[in-house]
Amino acid sequence: MSVARRIAAAVAARVSTTVVRGLLDDEPPGGARLWERTNHRGEPVSLLGGPAVAAGVLVGGLVGAPSARDGAALAVATTSATAFGLVDDLTEDREGTVRKGLRGHLGALARGEVTTGGLKVLGIGAGALLAAALSRPHDRLPEGRGAAAAVRLADVAVDGALIAASANLVNLLDLRPGRALKAAAIAAAPAGVLGGRGGGPAAAVLGAAAAELPDDLAERDMLGDSGANAVGAVLGTVAVQGCPRPVRLALLAGVVALTVASEKVSFTQVIARTPVLRELDAWGRRPAHVPGPAGPDAPGSPGGSPGDGAAAGEVPGR
């Protein structure tokens, strides 16, 4: 992937994010109130940053896609993550009476109860599998039609799981202003800077993050499920299209381990106890201020339970 192609992808993503955000601000679908949430300061923030970032990574990713087939895979992964994220964003329980993490949504599905979060799990999972199937194979397959087909099916299952799990992990990080975009930019930087098959879409993540990060840090916008899931799906697709099988397996193991840990451990508490992570997490953010007593479990405080009260208006446990 040439440097010029990666620059074009980053510029396209940044411009698209900015343009779409402006258009949505002029005429928010359903009215501005539908997209408004209240953060830990009691101030309004907008969910419109999510669809804008999703549009940016999609346009930039298509510009930088290494092939038409890989571009189609990226489009499927991004649009499914955005669409089902929007369903969860716009139909969530605003009063917070139903707050379920991934384990809760899967448990509800097992009992035959379909929550919006459960629908998101199914929808993003299906889109991720299709994206994995569409992605051009680049690992060596064994001789023999049957053996090659079996290995290819296993690859699709692993790759689909990696795309879906990456989408979920970025959403889990979207609990403080700028955190998810910073993490996504760090994850995308190696491929975006060094190139390779996933270099173009990775550069698109960097461009979209650069466009939206100031509003996210200033707590005017939040990614919500639509934006965070879209960015995570693109990162997962970058890994699927650019990394060999052993690396993809290792990445999937790491992402799944972090997801399982999030059900028991507060990422915010871990970050608060780790100096380097704490400084990086706080960089560019407004000074913390929570009215009234702020204990370690108060929403918006440096600590928090595994659900983590959302500093940028996220519903805990999403």
Side-chain angles (χ1 to χ4, degrees), residues 75-121:
V76 169
T78 307
T79 54
S80 62
T82 304
F84 286 98
L86 273 176
V87 170
D88 203 23
D89 278 335
L90 301 181
T91 61
E92 67 187 2
D93 176 21
R94 298 248 193 141
E95 302 301 321
T97 55
V98 179
R99 294 178 179 178
K100 299 178 180 178
L102 181 61
R103 183 173 58 182
H105 291 305
L106 292 177
L109 286 173
R111 297 190 300 271
E113 177 190 352
V114 180
T115 64
T116 55
L119 181 64
K120 184 178 73 169
V121 170

Side-chain angles (χ1 to χ4, degrees), residues 129-140:
L129 284 172
L130 180 55
L134 285 171
S135 293
R136 188 175 59 185
H138 57 94
D139 290 299
R140 184 175 180 179

Side-chain angles (χ1 to χ4, degrees), residues 188-296:
V193 173
L194 300 177
R197 281 188 63 189
V205 171
L206 296 175
E212 180 60 21
L213 189 58
D215 283 339
D216 199 330
L217 288 172
E219 300 178 37
R220 292 186 290 268
D221 279 358
M222 57 179 286
L223 289 181
D225 287 30
S226 64
N229 287 151
V231 170
V234 172
L235 290 174
T237 305
V238 167
V240 165
Q241 295 177 354
C243 298
R245 187 180 295 121
V247 175
R248 300 199 307 273
L249 287 169
L251 288 173
L252 177 60
V255 171
V256 170
L258 287 172
T259 302
V260 171
S262 73
E263 297 286 341
K264 297 290 185 181
V265 179
S266 165
F267 287 167
T268 297
Q269 287 183 343
V270 173
I271 290 170
R273 292 194 298 262
T274 309
V276 174
L277 294 180
R278 184 173 64 244
E279 292 301 317
L280 177 61
D281 191 49
W283 173 79
R285 188 184 299 161
R286 296 165 61 191
H289 171 68
V290 180

